[in-house]
Amino acid sequence: MKLLKQAVIILMLLNLTGCWSKVELDELTFVYGLYIDVGKEPGTVEVSISSPLPNRLMSGTQTGSGTGDGKAYTLVSKTARTLQDANIMIQKDLSRRIELSHIKIVVLGNEYARQGIGEVLEWFERKPEFPLGTYIMAAPGKAKDIFKLSPVFEQLPDQVLMNIANENIMFNTSVMDCILAEVSNMGYAMNYLSFGKKDETSEQGKTEYWAGVQGVMLFHDAKMKGILDVKQSRALAWGAGHLAGRLKLPEYTITWDEEGKGTASAIFQRNSASSSVKMTSKGPVFHIKVKGGASITFFKDSEGRSASKLSPLLKRRLQEQVVKEISDSLRTVQDAQVDVLQLGMLVEWNYPKAWSKLRERWTDYYAHHAEIKVTADFTIEDFGSER
């Protein structure tokens, strides 16, 4: 009995021992953003990491808009032959260890994206601490310039970019989405940012910068294949809803009668998309079906008719316009030979024998022979105030 008590006491004491491998938070540099550009010297890459400055966040010296001398975040850049070498060089200049587990956004410079992104995707795969759910975007110029944006509504520039992805304004592509598409030999798209100076200036008289989304950049086989504008991108995002998530509040304006005096605007409070494939004697035929419920936000009819009375007409015109815009955007990505909707995987899942014959030539088949039919099924849920 005495030995049993002693054993229990020893076991309890073991629970009081400290962790020998602990790392204190004040020993880490938490990276929130990663910006990747082509280096000035041929064959080099420039890597920039953004991180909050805990000493300024805690002391409250940050200005309200994130601008001025009291910024609570910083950017560190290094250029090397490889991404890993640049990362090591950054670490040498830091007093804390780089921690990537809290990263929020990756931005690729335009020139870097055009030369191919295979190296960076492979680098992400090989780093176990890197969260593959991190959003990824492309910049119109140098990626690190995006960091100059003024985070008016947020604390950090990286949070602004992350919120843009979360809002589903276009696509919310993650690093994992890119890697899975590459493994499956499918195409993918990521938000293509806009960036420029604001007309206003800050209180300190310094120029402020603003970032937004001006379209999407298309990729296949880790190569940039093209860029879509806002209208095409929104249409593609709706058609790719099963991959890109629910598009945020798409809005359309339609007209009727010969002179176009009848006009209405509608905003979709809910929308969704689904895709399917049917095998025919001529090959696979793909069906993209979009659904949605719209509210009429503006209405004017030259004959004085009410919106509710013209409900069938409004519904038909909305369906025609959305179907046309999605079909046009899909033809554009077909011409670019980028299977963004990953229709090839539908064939593989549903018709594996047919896919075994199409696999090796899928990119060419998709671009020149794939038949894609788009249909819409909408309801008008709200007509606004009727007089």
Side-chain angles (χ1 to χ4, degrees):
M1 191 66 178
K2 185 177 180 180
L3 291 175
L4 179 60
K5 289 182 179 179
Q6 291 176 342
V8 171
I9 292 172
I10 292 173
L11 288 174
M12 293 176 66
L13 290 174
L14 289 175
N15 290 329
L16 299 177
T17 59
C19 179
W20 63 270
S21 61
K22 68 180 179 68
V23 177
E24 297 291 345
L25 292 177
D26 59 6
E27 297 175 1
L28 300 174
T29 296
F30 290 98
V31 177
Y32 280 13
L34 184 64
Y35 303 82
I36 302 175
D37 290 298
V38 171
K40 292 182 180 180
E41 297 295 326
T44 62
V45 59
E46 183 179 24
V47 176
S48 305
I49 65 166
S50 65
S51 176
L53 300 174
N55 56 329
R56 292 189 179 176
L57 284 172
M58 290 184 293
S59 64
T61 58
Q62 181 188 15
T63 59
S65 64
T67 60
D69 297 330
K71 290 191 296 186
Y73 50 85
T74 190
L75 188 76
V76 182
S77 303
K78 291 294 180 182
T79 301
R81 292 290 175 182
T82 68
L83 291 161
Q84 183 60 26
D85 287 346
N87 187 62
I88 292 172
M89 291 176 66
I90 292 174
Q91 180 64 83
K92 288 180 179 178
D93 283 355
L94 297 179
S95 60
R96 301 184 181 196
R97 194 183 80 189
I98 293 176
E99 176 58 52
L100 294 174
S101 62
H102 287 67
I103 194 168
K104 301 180 182 297
I105 192 76
V106 173
V107 181
L108 306 176
N110 191 292
E111 188 177 352
Y112 185 86
R114 290 178 182 276
Q115 74 172 21
I117 64 173
E119 180 189 4
V120 69
L121 294 181
E122 183 179 356
W123 189 58
F124 291 151
E125 283 187 88
R126 293 179 180 276
K127 295 188 74 64
E129 73 274 25
F130 187 90
L132 296 180
T134 303
Y135 295 126
I136 186 168
M137 301 176 177
K142 291 186 71 67
K144 72 175 186 178
D145 287 345
I146 300 294
F147 189 74
K148 296 177 183 177
L149 71 86
S150 305
V152 177
F153 299 103
E154 308 294 341
Q155 283 189 313
L156 309 172
D158 314 298
Q159 290 176 315
V160 176
L161 299 176
M162 184 184 69
N163 289 345
I164 287 176
N166 282 331
E167 283 295 310
N168 280 12
I169 297 172
M170 296 288 184
F171 279 69
N172 55 3
T173 307
S174 68
V175 172
M176 175 64 79
D177 294 331
C178 299
I179 292 174
L180 290 178
E182 288 291 340
V183 171
S184 305
N185 196 29
M186 296 289 119
Y188 50 99
M190 65 179 67
N191 286 342
Y192 183 52
L193 297 169
S194 60
F195 182 71
K197 297 178 181 179
K198 290 179 61 179
D199 293 333
E200 305 87 354
T201 56
S202 68
E203 293 181 1
Q204 293 82 10
K206 295 182 180 180
T207 302
E208 292 188 355
Y209 294 86
W210 196 269
V213 181
Q214 61 174 316
V216 296
M217 188 175 278
L218 306 175
F219 288 86
H220 177 72
D221 194 23
K223 297 180 178 64
M224 197 279 282
K225 296 292 187 178
I227 295 173
L228 302 186
D229 61 24
V230 171
K231 184 178 179 180
Q232 292 174 315
S233 300
R234 293 275 286 177
L236 181 64
W238 193 340
H242 60 297
L243 296 173
R246 187 176 72 86
L247 185 64
K248 190 70 174 265
L249 300 175
E251 188 169 3
Y252 292 86
T253 296
I254 55 175
T255 59
W256 59 92
D257 69 41
E258 294 181 358
E259 298 181 0
K261 293 182 179 179
T263 305
S265 295
I267 187 168
F268 285 84
Q269 303 294 340
R270 59 179 181 85
N271 60 83
S272 62
S274 60
S275 60
S276 60
V277 60
K278 289 186 178 180
M279 188 60 67
T280 68
S281 58
K282 296 181 180 180
V285 177
F286 301 95
H287 297 269
I288 308 299
K289 187 173 185 179
V290 294
K291 295 183 179 181
S295 298
I296 302 300
T297 57
F298 174 81
F299 179 82
K300 182 180 180 181
D301 181 63
S302 58
E303 298 181 15
R305 294 168 293 184
S306 67
S308 55
K309 186 175 182 178
L310 292 182
S311 177
L313 173 63
L314 300 179
K315 175 182 174 180
R316 185 174 71 253
R317 288 299 177 91
L318 276 173
Q319 291 179 163
E320 291 172 351
Q321 182 166 332
V322 172
V323 166
K324 182 181 184 306
E325 290 189 5
I326 294 178
S327 299
D328 289 347
S329 68
L330 288 175
R331 277 192 290 272
T332 300
V333 297
Q334 277 185 278
D335 291 340
Q337 300 186 350
V338 182
D339 184 7
V340 175
L341 271 62
Q342 302 181 3
L343 301 178
M345 295 183 72
L346 285 177
V347 181
E348 182 179 13
W349 297 336
N350 293 278
Y351 304 99
K353 290 184 178 180
W355 177 248
S356 64
K357 299 178 181 179
L358 290 172
R359 183 198 305 271
E360 297 301 324
R361 59 188 183 96
W362 174 246
T363 300
D364 180 73
Y365 183 90
Y366 167 78
H368 300 103
H369 305 290
E371 183 179 358
I372 307 174
K373 296 182 178 180
V374 182
T375 58
D377 182 14
F378 296 155
T379 58
I380 307 296
E381 299 180 341
D382 178 20
F383 296 96
S385 58
E386 295 277 8
R387 295 181 181 178

